[in-house]
Amino acid sequence: MQIYEVTDPLFKEYGKIIDSVELTELLAEMKRTPVPEDVVYVASEPKLEALAVMKELTDKTYGELPIQIGYCNGHNRKLNALEYHRSSEVDVAATELVLMLGKQQDITEEFTYDTSKVKAFRIPAGTAVELYATTLHYAPCHTEKGGFQCTIVLPKGTNLDLEKDHQGGEDGHLTAKNKWLLGHPEGGLPEGSPMGLIGENLSLD
C-alpha cells in the first residue's frame, strides 16, 4: 500500500503535527519501555506522567482537561481493527512508525467500513501528532526490526473497563470507556469483539 509522509497535505484531513511541546524527556523515558514481539498497550504509565510534559500536554493540548499518558509498543504490520474516541488522541513516535488511518464519516449506517479507504502515514521518530476525534486508528506498524514505541495521550479514563453492558448500533461497538471498535474477521481479536471492517486486512508486507 502507498505510504504517505506525515508532512503530506493529505494528513491534515486526519490530524496535525504538534510542535509546541518539549518532548526530550518523554522520548528518553520511552526508550526504557518494553517492546514485546506482539503488541502491548498501557493506558496510564506513572513514569511518563511524572514528567514535565504532563502539564504541558494538559494545559496546551487538552485545554486543562485531565489526561493520561501511556504507550503502545511492539511489532505489528497489519490493520486488524479500527477504533475511535470522542476526543483527540496524541501520539508521539519514539521510533519511526506507520499509522493506518480512516474517517468516522465513512462508517456506514450498518457500522461497516471498507478498508480500501484507509490511508497510511509514516511518522518519523521524535514526532508528535494529534489525531482528531473523527479519525479511525489502531495499533501502529513498525518499520524497523526492533519494533515500534509510541506514546499515547488521551483524556483520563479512556480505554479503561466498561461498567455497563452495551448492545446494538454504535453502542454495541463500545469495548472500553471512550473506545468504539470495528474489528476485522482476520484481525485476531478476542472472541466476541465487534466486527465491522470489510475488505482486505491491510498489511505493510
Side-chain angles (χ1 to χ4, degrees):
M1 63 186 305
Q2 180 176 357
I3 300 177
Y4 298 88
E5 299 302 322
V6 72
T7 52
D8 191 292
L10 181 62
F11 183 70
K12 293 182 179 180
E13 299 179 22
Y14 302 88
K16 67 178 182 181
I17 297 174
I18 296 175
D19 55 13
S20 60
V21 176
E22 173 54 52
L23 300 172
T24 305
E25 269 192 323
L26 177 63
L27 293 169
E29 189 60 43
M30 276 296 297
K31 291 300 181 182
R32 301 184 179 96
T33 56
V35 183
E37 287 303 314
D38 50 1
V39 175
V40 62
Y41 171 69
V42 175
S44 177
E45 172 51 59
K47 290 182 179 179
L48 300 179
E49 293 175 348
L51 303 175
V53 72
M54 177 74 168
K55 179 170 174 52
E56 267 201 284
L57 287 167
T58 298
D59 293 348
K60 292 182 180 180
T61 310
Y62 283 92
E64 299 188 9
L65 282 177
I67 64 169
Q68 63 194 27
I69 304 179
Y71 61 84
C72 184
N73 294 352
H75 292 75
N76 176 52
R77 300 284 286 178
K78 293 188 175 183
L79 177 63
N80 295 326
L82 286 169
E83 68 181 29
Y84 59 94
H85 313 293
R86 289 284 191 259
S87 51
S88 286
E89 172 176 310
V90 173
D91 291 356
V92 184
T95 62
E96 181 184 271
L97 51 84
V98 170
L99 295 176
M100 295 189 192
L101 306 176
K103 297 178 181 177
Q104 186 181 349
Q105 296 91 325
D106 289 329
I107 297 175
T108 69
E109 292 182 1
E110 293 76 31
F111 283 91
T112 63
Y113 176 89
D114 188 339
T115 62
S116 66
K117 298 180 182 293
V118 167
K119 297 291 188 293
F121 294 90
R122 187 191 320 275
I123 317 296
T127 303
V129 296
E130 175 185 349
L131 303 180
Y132 299 142
T134 52
T135 296
L136 308 178
H137 59 281
Y138 203 54
C141 296
H142 68 271
T143 61
E144 304 167 350
K145 289 184 179 180
F148 70 86
Q149 292 174 300
C150 184
T151 307
I152 308 291
V153 186
L154 283 160
K156 192 172 182 63
T158 299
N159 288 327
L160 298 185
D161 291 342
L162 293 171
E163 299 174 15
K164 300 178 181 179
D165 186 37
H166 295 262
Q167 296 184 8
E170 183 183 36
D171 205 36
H173 288 266
L174 189 67
T175 59
K177 291 184 178 181
N178 194 24
K179 174 182 175 175
W180 288 263
L181 180 76
L182 286 80
H184 193 283
E186 300 171 5
L189 299 178
E191 185 175 351
S193 295
M195 296 292 107
L197 297 189
I198 57 176
E200 183 181 354
N201 186 23
L202 301 174
S203 174
L204 296 189
D205 295 323

